[in-house]
Amino acid sequence: MDYVLLLAVLYLMSAAQMAVAPALTVGDATPNLLAAAAAVWMTLFRDERALVSAALWGLAVDLQSGGRLGVSAAAYLLAAFALLRARPPAPLPGWLMMAAAGLLVLVITLAESVARAVRAGSALSSEFWQRWWECGIYSAILAAGLMFLSRSSVAIFGPDEPGAWSAEA
């Protein structure tokens, strides 16, 4: 059930990234909705499913960007692996999960931005860092909001562990 839900959310967020994200542009900052949703998904799961979902999210970003396959997938996988290594065994409080999702988005967007800059052969100038910071913070705020909504819906409708979600409950 988790993977069916993952594919449905992945499809919806991919469509939103292409259709809605340009309308959400503030100044020069366009949010990375896929990174925000991936960070929430990876933060919610406390096991190896985060690695599988990270690979799928990264592949979706690679397919949308039109660049080389695997660059974003590698960035997402590295972020998920680091998150798995740093995650405590007990569930985190809601505010800390929101902060973790936001920090994970910053790491993902930094890795993607550096990979794009290296691939294009451009220098990591102050303009590069400012653009990454604007887009990263914007996407991190969206990730924190998505995490709040997902934690709130779990608190209202079901158990705290997403793996326990089922149609029978």
Side-chain angles (χ1 to χ4, degrees):
M1 175 62 182
D2 291 336
Y3 292 115
V4 173
L5 182 61
L6 170 66
L7 291 176
V9 171
L10 182 61
Y11 176 76
L12 290 174
M13 291 308 289
S14 296
Q17 180 68 37
M18 296 188 75
V20 177
L24 297 176
T25 300
V26 175
D28 288 336
T30 302
N32 189 339
L33 299 177
L34 285 171
V40 169
W41 193 274
M42 289 186 282
T43 307
L44 283 175
F45 288 105
R46 296 179 177 88
D47 56 13
E48 289 74 26
R49 290 177 291 180
L51 293 173
V52 173
S53 64
L56 291 174
W57 287 104
L59 184 61
V61 171
D62 284 333
L63 290 173
Q64 280 191 349
S65 69
R68 294 180 182 224
L69 287 178
V71 175
S72 294
Y76 280 65
L77 277 171
L78 286 173
F81 181 74
L83 184 68
L84 282 176
R85 298 292 296 168
R87 180 175 300 145
L92 297 173
W95 66 271
L96 199 51
M97 296 229 357
M98 290 170 54
L103 184 61
L104 189 60
V105 168
L106 287 175
V107 169
I108 290 170
T109 55
L110 176 63
E112 285 180 330
S113 299
V114 168
R116 276 193 217 108
V118 167
R119 193 172 51 231
S122 61
L124 302 179
S125 62
S126 62
E127 181 181 325
F128 166 82
W129 293 108
Q130 179 179 356
R131 181 159 172 76
W132 163 74
W133 183 249
E134 290 170 353
C135 294
I137 287 294
Y138 190 12
S139 301
I141 290 170
L142 289 175
L146 285 173
M147 179 60 78
F148 176 76
L149 290 175
S150 67
R151 295 283 297 184
S152 298
S153 64
V154 168
I156 293 170
F157 298 113
D160 192 38
E161 182 60 38
W165 296 349
S166 65
E168 296 86 27

